[in-house]
Amino acid sequence: MTYKKFHVGIIGAGASGLVNLKWIKEKGHSGECWEMQTGIGGVYLSTYQQAQLTTTNLSTTFSDFSDGNESNPRMYMAFEYREYLKKYCENNNLGPHLNFRKKVLKVEKCPDSGKWSLHVECLESGEVTNHYYDKIIVCSGANTTKSVPCWPGQETFKGSIVHSADYDSPEPYRGKRVCLVGAGESGSDIAGLISNVASSCVMVKRGKHGHVVSRYQFPPGSVDPYKDRRPWPSDIDTNRSHYTLPRWVGPTIAAARGWGQKKKAGVIGSFVDAKISDINRLQNTHGFVIFGTKNESFVKAMIYSGLELKPSITKFEGQNVHFEDGTVFENCDAVVLNTGYRMFFPFLEGVVPEFCGCPDVRSLYKHSFHPDLGTDIMFSGFARPGFGALPPCSEMQARYISMLLSGERTLPPKDVMLKLTELEAEQELWQFQNAAKRVKGLVDYLIYMDGMAELIGCQLNFWRMCYLFFTNPVVWYTVQFSPIGAVQFRLFGPDANPKHAIKALSNTMTSPLPDRFLLMMWSMIFWVFGKLGFAFCTRSGSGLEYRVRSVFSEARKKHGWSPLKAATT
């Protein structure tokens, strides 16, 4: 059956915008990206000097475009990742469809034609033009509007207050007394850089910081069984064997890992590893219930540069900063706000006004589909894994969106979509607790990726994993013990590219953790009991999988809809 080809407008040319453009082109549709900045890269185009990703090429690269370094994974510097995206554009001939220094002012429905009009301002000339599309994909990212807190007495402070979006290098802070607010990944990086040159630094930890892990493990010179091996990236631990465990097992894993980390730190004399173990245990966090701070820079700064952790700020009093514990940071010269961003879609005010300002993307099905907009206006790039990388989540969204536009899949009916969205939001709020309220797009990486794979039809189910085990045990092993990258989802199903996937996975570095087989054994045990009907043994730990299956079953009976259902007209 032949389906209509759509002309699609994409707002944003970061990783999410580019991968959506690639997939709609691959399905025979046409499209254009509109980007405010001067080039591709999204947040990585305007970031600070020395910015480095916290996930490796294994987690971050797209499913069909490898950088060839699977056996030697590393975490890109920001400029290296931009170079990867540039090559991705060239490989897929996306350049002619990209428009830079163009700001989308408004999205409007044309009553006569039924098309969507994008009112676009050229930031160079100020000229405003209209462009018409059948469908819109919003890929503007979560880092568009600075989150800037205010405190009592702040007007009396005569020093500088700068958001991390405007931070470039540590040099302006040389010899100064600096207060850093926020302990996320960029906050950790900036703390490490500024503390090296400032005369004194404090870091304000609002609530709990992320669960801290080093970018790389087993540093050179260690005297443990891995002393002759090069450092390996921590995101290798974000693998299926680990993430198949029920989420309530997290504290046990964290305790065991923390004890092992402390012991190793004592053997190799690593003060940083010992400190990481202490601060994670002190706030009682683990990777299943909070976002990760996959960057130990602020811990190093605490040990080697005298950085102090402080609770929330209560007030400013001239140049003195007061904290909740009653302590005061006197004669402060500068405050750096590593306080993140909030989502904001002002261009949608005429379409969904209630969703424009600081929206909760958990109200979207799969963080992508508004129940009242369906496939007319879709969202991509708003599923942020606690541990794992965002680009693979965006690629899974892009694959599903392209299939919807091509009639290969249909969205659930509205009542089904609302029920599924409610169940998934409930799971995320239960699992991530307060962290989910702070980070609206926070998702569990494997649960989200496998959920999208089920809609696409490329999931690695029991029978496919058995097939891999008997036909290619090397790839089966890699799937179990390497990061959950997008390439795993090109082995089977629609748009499979097994030749490329097998080649990449065959060369991929796997976890050297000594407890990997113990983890896999427990993963298998819990998986079996989960299949036998014990809801607390499922990886969600709450039986989300059963409740989703129940909704699917009801949808088949009531609407004739199923996840793999194609359009009938």
Side-chain angles (χ1 to χ4, degrees):
M1 187 177 293
T2 302
Y3 291 95
K4 179 182 177 181
K5 299 302 180 183
F6 293 108
H7 189 43
V8 184
I10 299 173
I11 303 173
S16 301
L18 297 177
V19 75
N20 273 276
L21 179 59
K22 182 263 184 188
W23 275 99
I24 63 169
K25 282 180 76 261
E26 194 154 292
K27 294 291 185 179
H29 306 286
S30 60
E32 295 176 299
C33 273
W34 299 94
E35 171 59 53
M36 290 175 58
Q37 299 193 86
T38 57
I40 61 173
V43 66
Y44 296 107
L45 185 63
S46 56
T47 192
Y48 52 92
Q49 295 179 34
Q50 299 172 284
Q52 185 179 21
L53 276 65
T54 54
T55 51
T56 64
N57 51 305
L58 302 180
S59 298
T60 310
T61 52
F62 294 125
S63 66
D64 55 359
F65 191 68
S66 164
D67 66 357
N69 292 317
E70 286 82 9
S71 62
N72 186 28
R74 61 185 300 273
M75 295 177 184
Y76 294 128
M77 300 300 291
F79 72 88
E80 294 174 308
Y81 185 55
R82 293 197 301 269
E83 187 62 27
Y84 169 80
L85 293 177
K86 180 181 176 182
K87 291 177 180 177
Y88 181 76
C89 286
E90 292 170 351
N91 186 70
N92 293 289
N93 193 31
L94 303 183
H97 310 280
L98 304 177
N99 301 278
F100 300 113
R101 298 294 291 159
K102 302 291 180 12
K103 180 180 180 180
V104 175
L105 301 176
K106 183 166 64 170
V107 177
E108 190 174 41
K109 186 71 175 280
C110 302
D112 297 332
S113 65
K115 291 183 179 291
W116 293 95
S117 171
L118 259 61
H119 300 250
V120 179
E121 178 188 8
C122 175
L123 296 179
E124 303 293 345
S125 66
E127 180 185 7
V128 176
T129 54
N130 293 341
H131 304 266
Y132 300 93
Y133 301 97
D134 301 302
K135 307 286 183 180
I136 303 295
I137 308 175
V138 178
C139 303
S140 53
N143 298 328
T144 54
T145 304
K146 304 171 194 174
S147 178
V148 180
C150 292
W151 296 276
Q154 185 174 323
E155 69 281 358
T156 67
F157 181 67
K158 303 305 180 184
S160 64
I161 299 179
V162 176
H163 191 274
S164 59
D166 303 309
Y167 168 86
D168 183 57
S169 81
E171 279 308 309
Y173 305 97
R174 184 172 294 277
K176 294 185 177 180
R177 293 174 58 81
V178 184
C179 177
L180 303 144
V181 183
E185 290 177 336
S186 63
S188 180
D189 253 345
I190 291 171
L193 295 168
I194 289 181
S195 64
N196 285 331
V197 301
S199 63
S200 182
C201 269
V202 294
M203 172 184 273
V204 176
K205 177 174 67 73
R206 303 173 302 159
K208 293 182 177 181
H209 55 69
H211 186 71
V212 182
V213 297
S214 300
R215 279 191 172 101
Y216 292 91
Q217 303 283 341
F218 293 120
S222 62
V223 290
D224 58 40
Y226 301 94
K227 64 181 179 181
D228 297 323
R229 302 185 68 156
R230 57 182 166 75
W232 52 274
S234 292
D235 71 344
I236 286 181
D237 193 29
T238 310
N239 57 49
R240 284 185 173 272
S241 183
H242 186 180
Y243 275 74
T244 300
L245 292 167
R247 298 304 177 253
W248 54 263
V249 178
T252 303
I253 297 172
R257 291 277 176 86
W259 176 83
Q261 185 179 31
K262 188 82 170 179
K263 182 179 179 181
K264 178 177 78 101
V267 172
I268 67 177
S270 172
F271 299 112
V272 174
D273 282 343
K275 189 69 172 178
I276 289 173
S277 175
D278 288 341
I279 63 177
N280 282 334
R281 286 188 294 110
L282 184 64
Q283 70 170 14
N284 193 28
T285 57
H286 55 87
F288 286 166
V289 299
I290 198 168
F291 51 86
T293 295
K294 304 176 284 292
N295 171 357
E296 74 283 13
S297 297
F298 85 89
V299 182
K300 289 181 178 178
M302 291 173 68
I303 295 170
Y304 300 114
S305 302
L307 176 74
E308 292 184 64
L309 285 186
K310 295 289 185 180
S312 294
I313 294 172
T314 56
K315 65 177 180 178
F316 282 76
E317 196 173 56
Q319 301 307 108
N320 298 334
V321 185
H322 294 252
F323 306 105
E324 281 184 347
D325 62 356
T327 59
V328 181
F329 186 57
E330 297 180 343
N331 300 317
C332 180
D333 297 304
V335 177
V336 180
L337 303 175
N338 304 301
T339 48
Y341 301 81
R342 61 184 180 89
M343 284 173 274
F344 189 40
F345 307 120
F347 46 82
L348 293 179
E349 187 174 0
V351 182
V352 277
E354 75 286 353
F355 192 70
C356 292
C358 201
D360 186 352
V361 292
R362 289 192 182 89
S363 64
L364 304 177
Y365 178 52
K366 295 298 182 185
H367 292 227
S368 290
F369 304 98
H370 192 287
D372 294 326
L373 298 174
T375 61
D376 281 350
I377 298 178
M378 299 165 283
F379 299 79
S380 183
F382 302 98
R384 192 269 206 198
F387 277 83
L390 187 146
C393 296
S394 296
E395 180 169 13
M396 297 298 276
Q397 293 167 342
R399 290 178 65 180
Y400 187 53
I401 287 171
S402 70
M403 296 179 80
L404 289 169
L405 298 186
S406 297
E408 298 169 71
R409 296 290 182 269
T410 55
L411 276 177
K414 183 176 178 178
D415 62 321
V416 177
M417 188 187 299
L418 289 171
K419 183 62 176 176
L420 291 170
T421 303
E422 179 185 343
L423 289 176
E424 290 168 358
E426 180 185 312
Q427 167 69 26
E428 291 164 9
L429 291 168
W430 170 80
Q431 179 176 336
F432 294 110
Q433 303 167 34
N434 288 332
K437 297 173 184 177
R438 288 171 54 192
V439 184
K440 302 293 187 182
L442 198 59
V443 298
D444 183 288
Y445 191 38
L446 181 58
I447 291 176
Y448 186 84
M449 292 289 281
D450 273 358
M452 291 302 302
E454 186 170 13
L455 298 177
I456 294 166
C458 61
Q459 68 270 36
L460 290 168
N461 57 27
F462 174 75
W463 296 111
R464 286 172 173 174
M465 290 298 285
C466 284
Y467 175 81
L468 274 183
F469 180 81
F470 288 108
T471 61
N472 198 326
V474 171
V475 171
W476 175 87
Y477 181 88
T478 302
V479 168
Q480 291 285 359
F481 294 114
S482 67
I484 307 161
V487 70
Q488 294 184 7
F489 299 96
R490 298 299 293 274
L491 287 164
F492 302 100
D495 302 305
N497 189 350
K499 183 177 179 181
H500 167 78
I502 289 171
K503 179 181 178 182
L505 289 167
S506 296
N507 296 319
T508 295
M509 184 180 181
T510 55
S511 172
L513 283 173
D515 61 354
R516 58 189 182 278
F517 293 113
L518 181 64
L519 277 175
M520 185 170 69
M521 180 189 75
W522 282 109
S523 293
M524 295 295 184
I525 290 172
F526 281 119
W527 181 84
V528 169
F529 277 96
K531 291 297 182 183
L532 290 175
F534 294 89
F536 66 93
C537 289
T538 60
R539 62 189 173 193
S540 68
S542 64
L544 172 69
E545 295 85 344
Y546 291 123
R547 287 178 287 167
V548 168
R549 292 288 181 282
S550 176
V551 174
F552 284 171
S553 179
E554 292 174 9
R556 287 188 187 96
K557 294 175 184 176
K558 182 177 179 180
H559 300 286
W561 178 87
S562 67
L564 303 183
K565 183 178 176 61
T568 56
T569 57

